Amino acid sequence: MIPFVDLKAQYVSIKKEIDNAIENVIRDTAFVGGSGNKYNQEFEKVFAAYIGTKYCVGCGNGTDAIEIIVKALGLGPGDEVIVPALTWIATSEAVSSCGATPVFVDVDQTTYTIDTKKIKRAITTKTKAIIPVHLYGLPADMDEITKIAKTHSLLIIEDCAQAHGAEYKGKKVGTFGVAATFSFFPGKNLGGYGDAGAIVTNDEGLAIKTRMLANHGMLKRHEHEFEGRNSRLDGLQAAILSVKLKHLDKWNNNRIKNAALYDKYIISNIITPKTPDHHKHVYHLYVIQSQNRDRLKEKLKEEEIEASIHYPTALPYLKCYQHLRYTEKDFPIAYSLSKKILSLPMFPELTEEQIKCVTKIINNEN
Ligand SMILES: *Cc1c(COP(=O)(O)O)cnc(C)c1O
């Protein structure tokens, strides 16, 4: 059996460090996050240093991270925010939750990230921000996006949920906009043992505002300057993430090696991921395109190989957006990709033997 991800294998490889970190948090009863928790302070410090930003604010999950930063930037009813048509629903959901309107833009056929040539026509007088998603671990075209944002005075919020450690022209994603968000959902490249997320920024005022929004609008206990919410990063997750961050580069390199092995062993006419020059892809997912996707997925399943689809329905076509009445023609690439894409098993501990097994079936099927 070849699983899609193997979180157990990763735990076993760092069991001592993790168990030790968990024990420390319990011994200190440092359960709940917030500015007084030393495990939170430590993680926020090392993660900001890793990404290359001045501030990191931990929060409950990656969806909250987007929602909180959209709110902190003052976006709400009457404002439009550009998001890619192919991503996890959190990206658009967080915009809607703040009362702002997500505006979808189609993605590029090859990179799967937002098609910068199609952004301009989506811009109106109400457009305030753009949320590029570094989908599957590949950075979006940040030069082009930065140029468009400058011309039209738009804020950039990067959704880095799938791209911890990815780089664009030698610079880590998370450093290109006014702020960026991360998810530490267990299966992400850097994942906790439960839900967790963070916002990074170089803007001190924004860091303070997000911290307050994530903790009932207060910095000092009982001094609620405005209404916020409870979205704190908990102590256990912070301590676990600090341990795991030390291994992230090694794990990302293993993902990159595994992707190269897939590239090497896939000899059928299947479309494999292409990484543009000057992009460091960290392969949160290894996504291929097949005309016989559903049959191939079934065949893999028969051989006890778990493959998955990210995502089977592009956002504009989900039931929750049906009232917007989009047709296939509105986002043709996202629409057609959703019928062809297949995510193969991908995790740092995947072995060459396992990759050979998977690719053998793929080569026979196509
Ligand atoms: C996982 C993910 C999120 C949300 O993260 P959660 O921690 O699950 O809330 C947001 N955007 C993208 C692109 C994601 O993959």
Side-chain angles (χ1 to χ4, degrees):
M1 196 239 160
I2 303 176
F4 185 65
V5 285
D6 190 346
L7 297 177
K8 183 84 180 284
Q10 187 169 83
Y11 167 61
V12 169
S13 75
I14 52 169
K15 184 174 182 317
K16 258 209 181 119
E17 283 176 90
I18 292 283
D19 292 357
N20 196 25
I22 291 173
E23 254 179 55
N24 288 343
V25 174
I26 296 173
R27 187 200 56 217
D28 294 346
T29 63
F31 302 125
V32 171
S35 21
N37 184 317
K38 70 175 182 191
Y39 296 96
N40 278 54
Q41 287 168 357
E42 171 64 15
F43 175 66
E44 289 176 350
K45 199 177 100 196
V46 292
F47 193 68
Y50 176 81
I51 297 299
T53 54
K54 282 195 192 143
Y55 307 98
C56 168
V57 177
C59 65
N61 56 69
T63 309
D64 279 1
I66 308 172
E67 209 177 304
I68 288 167
I69 192 64
V70 168
K71 251 208 170 132
L73 288 165
L75 305 178
D79 297 327
E80 292 178 359
V81 177
I82 290 174
V83 301
L86 188 71
T87 169
W88 176 237
I89 187 169
T91 317
S92 54
E93 205 176 30
V95 173
S96 307
S97 309
C98 297
T101 307
V103 173
F104 302 110
V105 168
D106 208 0
V107 295
D108 181 84
Q109 175 88 34
T110 315
T111 63
Y112 306 114
T113 53
I114 195 162
D115 186 342
T116 53
K117 293 186 296 302
K118 293 179 181 167
I119 293 177
K120 269 182 210 148
R121 68 179 89 141
I123 297 174
T124 71
T125 51
K126 294 177 178 170
T127 313
K128 294 285 159 59
I130 169 164
I131 308 185
V133 179
H134 308 301
L135 199 71
Y136 309 152
L138 179 70
D141 186 352
M142 291 316 297
D143 274 354
E144 240 356 89
I145 292 168
T146 305
K147 217 187 284 169
I148 295 167
K150 273 214 176 102
T151 310
H152 299 271
S153 306
L154 308 180
L155 298 163
I156 298 173
I157 305 163
E158 297 173 76
D159 180 346
C160 304
Q162 303 188 1
H164 319 68
E167 292 175 14
Y168 179 85
K169 301 199 170 167
K171 210 168 151 232
K172 284 215 172 65
V173 301
T175 57
F176 290 89
V178 63
T181 62
F182 286 85
S183 162
F184 306 116
F185 178 80
K188 300 284 160 92
N189 288 35
L190 178 63
Y193 288 181
D195 280 311
I199 297 133
V200 297
T201 181
N202 284 323
D203 182 324
E204 188 183 11
L206 209 48
I208 294 171
K209 187 94 186 275
T210 54
R211 194 177 289 292
M212 293 173 78
L213 278 168
N215 196 15
H216 304 295
M218 64 181 183
L219 278 180
K220 278 202 197 121
R221 199 161 155 78
H222 300 308
E223 290 182 17
H224 307 278
E225 293 183 29
F226 47 81
E227 286 183 331
R229 69 173 75 197
N230 175 1
S231 182
R232 297 177 295 244
L233 173 64
D234 72 67
L236 281 171
Q237 302 311 330
I240 289 165
L241 289 166
S242 292
V243 168
K244 291 187 73 176
L245 181 60
K246 292 184 199 144
H247 300 274
L248 179 61
D249 284 341
K250 174 186 70 194
W251 287 333
N252 277 343
N253 285 335
N254 285 346
R255 287 174 183 271
I256 293 165
K257 274 185 210 152
N258 290 338
L261 289 173
Y262 271 127
D263 290 345
K264 175 176 152 191
Y265 290 123
I266 293 176
I267 50 169
S268 60
N269 54 7
I270 269 202
I271 297 175
T272 54
K274 304 282 177 293
T275 307
D277 288 347
H278 315 299
H279 287 55
K280 181 177 175 185
H281 192 328
V282 291
Y283 294 97
H284 172 56
L285 300 171
Y286 185 90
V287 177
I288 60 170
Q289 291 179 43
S290 164
Q291 296 298 337
N292 310 311
R293 190 265 315 271
D294 293 336
R295 206 183 67 208
L296 179 57
K297 185 166 184 283
E298 230 5 78
K299 186 75 196 163
L300 289 166
K301 195 174 163 198
E302 279 166 26
E303 306 287 336
E304 296 195 299
I305 294 166
E306 282 178 4
S308 193
I309 302 169
H310 300 86
Y311 297 89
T313 306
L315 291 191
Y317 308 108
L318 290 169
K319 196 164 177 193
C320 57
Y321 296 122
Q322 254 169 26
H323 59 281
L324 300 171
R325 299 181 184 282
Y326 290 120
T327 71
E328 295 170 31
K329 292 196 188 81
D330 291 312
F331 310 97
I333 305 299
Y335 185 86
S336 72
L337 281 175
S338 66
K339 313 275 179 243
K340 294 188 283 197
I341 46 182
L342 186 66
S343 312
L344 301 180
M346 173 53 86
F347 48 92
E349 299 78 14
L350 192 67
T351 66
E352 183 161 1
E353 279 317 301
Q354 288 175 313
I355 292 169
K356 275 185 181 168
C357 256
V358 178
T359 52
K360 201 171 143 198
I361 291 154
I362 292 172
N363 292 333
N364 285 340
E365 270 303 293
N366 279 265

